[in-house]
Amino acid sequence: MGDNSENLSSYDWKTIDSNVVAHLPKGCHVVSSQSHRSSFWGHTGCINVELADGTPLSFFVKIVPDEHGKNMVHGEFESMKAIYAVLPDFAPKPIAWGTYKDTPDIHFVLCEYREMTHEMPDPYKFTARLAALHKNSMSPTGKFGFHMATYSAGRLSSRKNMKMALDLEMKAKGPDPELDRLGPILFDKVIPRLLRPLESDGRSVKPSLVHGDLWYANSGIDVETGESLVFDACSFYAHNEYEFGQWRPICNRFGDEYLAAYHSYVQISAPEGDYDGRLDLYKLRFNTQVSALFPESNALREQ
């Protein structure tokens, strides 16, 4: 996806593809559009329109290239739709996803535009909303997983993502004798030891809707309301504590005060003594994935 993603840097934001326009309010007039920011995967922009009654309104659009990008924006749309359905004040309203008519190799996701600052939110206000998402969501099948593949940092996010993350890391950085030795121990001993007790001795885990990639850069403060918002989700139904594996890597800024605040609303899963081990296990998936994304960094493999 790299070459085509680089080509997007010269994309003409003055021209809005007709397949995007088709999802804007009927009778509106596009006033302007501009690039917003870029990422590893694509680019984002803002579309400003005037409604039929003269009211100004803005929309956020993300564009990504290739078939992989198509799957990413589809997964993001479904993820944000699921979050919005449970807690509409916690996420911008997703509107549509699709493929450009004039450039079939470019795909988009469209949502309402919410002006945000990227200050760190109040721990208790933020985690109250996150706890509500976890507690109030219900898996439509009663099972873990999601109805389609979603992507965290461009990688598949699923129940099998630990094995996939390790395979991708090895492919990106090459073989490593220590990983070869520790991998089987992780899957045969560590994972069963930490996860089986969650559903042993009469205990059970409710599949909760998780954001799936909830680091500080995927959250913001709504300028108009002053309340927390999340975006760029790659959701699925999981153990609610899975969310906090992303809070353990050192690059994140959701520190211990956010975990403490969350657990003032939702108690730690039993057995409580395994809590730190479970979070370290969930953290391992995120760290492994980041290491795969940066093949030149040996420090990330050591981490």
Side-chain angles (χ1 to χ4, degrees), residues 71 215 265 290:
N71 296 334
W215 65 309
Y265 305 112
V290 171

Side-chain angles (χ1 to χ4, degrees), residues 171-190:
K171 183 177 179 180
K173 283 192 164 71
D176 181 272
E178 188 173 15
L179 285 179
D180 288 341
R181 181 175 61 85
L182 293 177
I185 297 173
L186 173 68
F187 289 100
D188 296 341
K189 295 185 178 181
V190 177

Side-chain angles (χ1 to χ4, degrees), residues 37 118 214-220 231-232 252 254:
R37 65 176 182 172
H118 290 280
L214 191 53
W215 65 309
Y216 74 92
N218 284 345
S219 69
F231 49 92
D232 278 357
N252 210 331
F254 288 127

Side-chain angles (χ1 to χ4, degrees), residues 93-114:
K93 182 180 180 179
I95 296 170
W97 76 279
T99 297
Y100 275 22
K101 180 178 180 180
D102 297 332
T103 316
D105 198 38
I106 294 180
H107 315 282
F108 69 90
V109 61
L110 181 73
C111 69
E112 67 174 341
Y113 183 83
R114 306 281 287 270

Side-chain angles (χ1 to χ4, degrees), residues 251-271:
C251 64
N252 210 331
R253 292 162 62 186
F254 288 127
D256 289 342
E257 69 275 23
Y258 287 87
L259 279 172
Y262 177 88
H263 288 304
S264 71
Y265 305 112
V266 180
Q267 66 183 27
I268 293 172
S269 297

Side-chain angles (χ1 to χ4, degrees), residues 164-174 179 288 291-292 301:
M164 186 174 292
L166 282 169
D167 289 345
L168 288 169
E169 205 276 349
M170 298 281 274
K171 183 177 179 180
K173 283 192 164 71
L179 285 179
T288 304
S291 181
R301 171 171 275 186

Side-chain angles (χ1 to χ4, degrees), residues 142-158:
K143 298 179 180 180
F144 297 98
F146 206 54
H147 64 277
M148 64 169 297
T150 58
Y151 292 75
S152 170
R155 305 297 187 189
L156 274 170
S157 176
S158 72

Side-chain angles (χ1 to χ4, degrees), residues 138-294:
M138 294 291 294
S139 169
T141 64
K143 298 179 180 180
F144 297 98
F146 206 54
H147 64 277
M148 64 169 297
T150 58
Y151 292 75
S152 170
R155 305 297 187 189
L156 274 170
S157 176
S158 72
R159 288 176 294 172
K160 298 179 180 178
N161 56 19
M162 186 68 248
K163 179 67 166 61
M164 186 174 292
L166 282 169
D167 289 345
L168 288 169
E169 205 276 349
M170 298 281 274
K171 183 177 179 180
K173 283 192 164 71
D176 181 272
E178 188 173 15
L179 285 179
D180 288 341
R181 181 175 61 85
L182 293 177
I185 297 173
L186 173 68
F187 289 100
D188 296 341
K189 295 185 178 181
V190 177
I191 291 177
R193 165 60 187 87
L194 289 172
L195 299 189
R196 279 179 183 165
L198 289 167
E199 298 196 302
S200 300
D201 299 326
R203 293 184 287 263
S204 64
V205 173
K206 168 187 173 289
S208 297
L209 184 68
V210 296
H211 177 285
D213 191 22
L214 191 53
W215 65 309
Y216 74 92
N218 284 345
S219 69
I221 305 295
D222 188 307
V223 170
E224 185 175 334
T225 66
E227 298 293 341
S228 300
L229 293 171
V230 295
F231 49 92
D232 278 357
C234 50
S235 296
F236 56 100
Y237 292 92
H239 181 205
N240 64 302
E241 291 174 4
Y242 175 89
E243 200 86 90
F244 309 125
Q246 181 67 307
W247 294 17
R248 283 289 177 95
I250 57 174
C251 64
N252 210 331
R253 292 162 62 186
F254 288 127
D256 289 342
E257 69 275 23
Y258 287 87
L259 279 172
Y262 177 88
H263 288 304
S264 71
Y265 305 112
V266 180
Q267 66 183 27
I268 293 172
S269 297
E272 293 83 353
D274 290 346
Y275 176 72
D276 286 331
R278 292 193 299 263
L279 264 56
D280 282 341
L281 175 64
Y282 299 149
K283 174 185 72 173
L284 180 60
R285 202 281 298 176
F286 290 101
N287 279 351
T288 304
Q289 180 172 276
V290 171
S291 181
L293 292 174
F294 298 96

